[in-house]
Amino acid sequence: MTSPPPNTTMIHTGNTFKDRDYYFEDGNCVIGVQNYLFNLHRTILRKHSLFFRRMFLNPRNTEAQEIAGEKDDCPIICDDPVEAFRAWCWALYAGFQELEGPKRRESLNEERLGYIGWLAHKYECDTIEKWAEKTLDAELQAIIHDSKARAQLSSLSFLGGTQSFCNLPSIKTLGQLLCQSHECSWPYVRKNIELLLLGTIQGTWSILGTSESAIELRRVLDIAGEVKDEALKARAYYAFIQSVNWCLSPRERRNRTGGTAFTLKRRDRNCDSLSALTDTQKICLYRGYLSFSSLRSELRNIPEVNVLCGCLGEVEKEWKSHARRLSGDHYFDDPKSFLEEMKRLLDLDSPEKRLNRKHGGECKIDQLSRDIDKFLIDMEVNLVHFFTESGEVTC
């Protein structure tokens, strides 16, 4: 005889199990989820779920409908994962102290919050869904905040001391949450999950030593593929290029730090890794890399501005000085970071300074600053066109 799993009690019908926590003896609505039985209270379901409220209001036209949910051998069938349904039941029966009290974290994690909100959306429990979405968003923001604090602390490691940080949910959980946020239309949750996913490629959460195979990039690309999010794929490619300091060759990256001696005898000189990527993914990565490499070269000269004004000459030398770092300096290898830095440089030239130079009419510095703002927005919007197998880049 099969042993019952945790949180369940075996009943007499084959491999069907009663849930230990949510099969109430005084319940009056038996629900079957896979091979588990839950016996809930119709008053609770009516109170929270519009879906079940409508179900219970429908007239019973057949004898089968009359007993559905009233007996263990004829339950209402819900096609849900058992753990998700159990988490949803917890939210149905939890009191305020459990939902908002200090011990909430003992009962909940990001995965369970996602399950609760997802099934609350499915069964039209608006109040519970809004609570789950808000709470999940807050939890994800706390993780993002902690990741920034973790990065800052690591840069100040010489200060010593210890600090407790939130743990990053597993890649599997983040992928599951992303799917749920798309299905339920939770825009803020989706944005935070995407930030955390990209952080596994570049940032505090990235795993050192995996960039040669690009396994962390492949995981995010697969998750983005599940929700058909081409924009997330493009941001993942870009984050990976940033993470390897605009150098796709692991060997060259080691050479930059003096880690590998140059020799013509090595037979694998042209065999760089990226082994986790498919051929199509490699094409997309290299296409975007080449497009942005061309942009980096163009940015070494200050852009033309169609305004009659002599102010730009005063910052042109500063631009070219910074632009030298587009090759060799890891910080400005990224064209986006370079343009953001130039924007800050241009904005330091205040209107008061230009007034002191007896400037009249429109100023090239102002126009170039606006051009950079627009270009950065266009680059983000059109990022997906950089990382495609074919097609024209329109940025």
Side-chain angles (χ1 to χ4, degrees):
M1 182 175 290
T2 306
S3 299
N7 298 323
T8 60
T9 302
M10 179 177 269
I11 62 175
H12 66 282
T13 53
N15 289 328
T16 306
F17 303 96
K18 290 181 179 179
D19 189 84
R20 184 170 298 167
D21 293 326
Y22 299 106
Y23 187 96
F24 298 103
E25 293 302 328
D26 62 344
N28 55 2
C29 184
V30 181
I31 298 176
V33 183
Q34 296 179 14
N35 59 331
Y36 297 84
L37 292 179
F38 296 76
N39 194 11
L40 308 180
H41 300 89
R42 291 184 180 232
T43 53
I44 297 293
L45 292 171
R46 284 195 192 97
K47 176 182 178 181
H48 294 289
S49 169
L50 181 59
F51 175 91
F52 282 99
R53 199 178 308 151
R54 285 198 302 264
M55 176 187 290
F56 299 149
L57 285 175
N58 287 337
R60 296 168 175 173
N61 298 322
T62 68
E63 183 179 349
Q65 284 181 323
E66 186 175 357
I67 63 173
E70 296 179 1
K71 296 181 180 180
D72 289 350
D73 57 0
C74 191
I76 297 170
I77 301 300
C78 290
D79 185 19
D80 302 309
V82 173
E83 287 304 317
F85 197 84
R86 188 174 288 127
W88 179 66
C89 288
W90 178 88
L92 288 177
Y93 285 91
F96 177 82
Q97 287 299 321
E98 290 181 273
L99 292 175
E100 301 292 348
K103 294 186 177 181
R104 185 188 70 203
R105 288 179 179 270
E106 297 178 7
S107 303
L108 291 176
N109 55 25
E110 294 78 21
E111 182 180 30
R112 293 196 76 200
L113 281 168
Y115 279 146
I116 291 168
W118 176 53
L119 287 192
H121 177 82
K122 176 180 177 179
Y123 295 121
E124 300 174 89
C125 309
D126 290 346
T127 301
I128 293 177
E129 182 185 1
K130 289 177 182 177
W131 170 83
E133 179 187 4
K134 178 182 176 182
T135 306
L136 180 57
D137 182 50
E139 294 293 322
L140 294 173
Q141 287 187 43
I143 295 172
I144 293 170
H145 179 270
D146 274 14
S147 72
K148 295 177 180 178
R150 187 192 297 260
Q152 184 178 18
L153 190 65
S154 64
S155 66
L156 300 173
S157 57
F158 62 88
L159 294 177
T162 59
Q163 186 170 344
S164 176
F165 295 103
C166 297
N167 291 322
L168 179 73
S170 68
I171 289 291
K172 179 182 178 182
T173 297
L174 288 174
Q176 178 178 289
L177 290 172
L178 185 65
C179 292
Q180 292 165 348
S181 68
H182 273 262
E183 184 176 336
C184 301
S185 299
W186 301 335
Y188 297 110
V189 170
R190 183 170 68 245
K191 179 181 177 181
N192 287 328
I193 294 168
E194 289 178 356
L195 286 174
L196 290 172
L197 284 170
L198 295 176
T200 66
I201 299 173
Q202 178 204 29
T204 307
W205 302 111
S206 56
I207 305 170
L208 297 177
T210 60
S211 57
E212 292 197 15
S213 68
I215 183 62
E216 67 287 351
L217 170 60
R218 173 62 185 272
R219 288 169 181 153
V220 177
L221 291 176
D222 288 346
I223 290 171
E226 289 182 26
V227 295
K228 297 179 173 59
D229 191 337
E230 297 300 317
L232 177 57
K233 286 184 182 179
R235 291 197 292 274
Y237 282 122
Y238 194 82
F240 178 77
I241 295 175
Q242 288 177 306
S243 74
V244 296
N245 297 318
W246 292 82
C247 179
L248 294 182
S249 166
R251 187 173 297 103
E252 185 178 342
R253 291 200 298 276
R254 290 193 294 268
N255 287 341
R256 282 182 178 182
T257 59
T260 305
F262 175 77
T263 174
L264 294 175
K265 295 181 180 180
R266 295 186 59 172
R267 297 180 181 179
D268 62 341
R269 287 205 55 78
N270 297 318
C271 300
D272 286 327
S273 186
L274 303 177
S275 58
L277 302 182
T278 65
D279 289 342
T280 298
Q281 289 167 343
K282 290 177 183 177
I283 290 171
C284 293
L285 176 64
Y286 276 103
R287 177 177 170 79
Y289 173 78
L290 292 174
S291 297
F292 278 109
S293 294
S294 175
L295 174 61
R296 287 165 61 209
S297 296
E298 293 173 343
L299 286 174
R300 291 174 188 172
N301 295 311
I302 195 167
E304 292 289 334
V305 179
N306 295 323
V307 175
L308 294 176
C309 162
C311 293
L312 203 58
E314 300 180 21
V315 297
E316 186 171 4
K317 291 183 179 179
E318 194 74 24
W319 180 288
K320 288 186 175 181
S321 174
H322 282 72
R324 293 192 190 101
R325 304 181 187 181
L326 281 168
S327 59
D329 186 282
H330 293 170
Y331 180 76
F332 284 130
D333 268 351
D334 176 17
K336 180 180 178 182
S337 298
F338 172 75
L339 285 171
E340 289 170 344
E341 179 65 19
M342 290 302 98
K343 174 72 167 57
R344 286 191 288 271
L345 176 68
L346 294 173
D347 290 346
L348 289 176
D349 192 270
S350 64
E352 290 79 8
K353 290 183 180 179
R354 293 194 287 281
L355 184 63
N356 291 335
R357 292 196 296 265
K358 298 180 180 180
H359 184 280
E362 194 170 7
C363 178
K364 279 191 173 183
I365 291 179
D366 288 341
Q367 185 59 49
L368 180 56
S369 180
R370 289 193 292 269
D371 288 349
I372 290 175
D373 279 336
K374 184 178 184 303
F375 185 88
L376 287 172
I377 293 172
D378 290 344
M379 191 176 87
E380 184 68 25
V381 170
N382 291 290
L383 196 61
V384 66
H385 299 300
F386 284 88
F387 298 98
T388 57
E389 286 186 85
S390 60
E392 295 183 0
V393 176
T394 57
C395 186

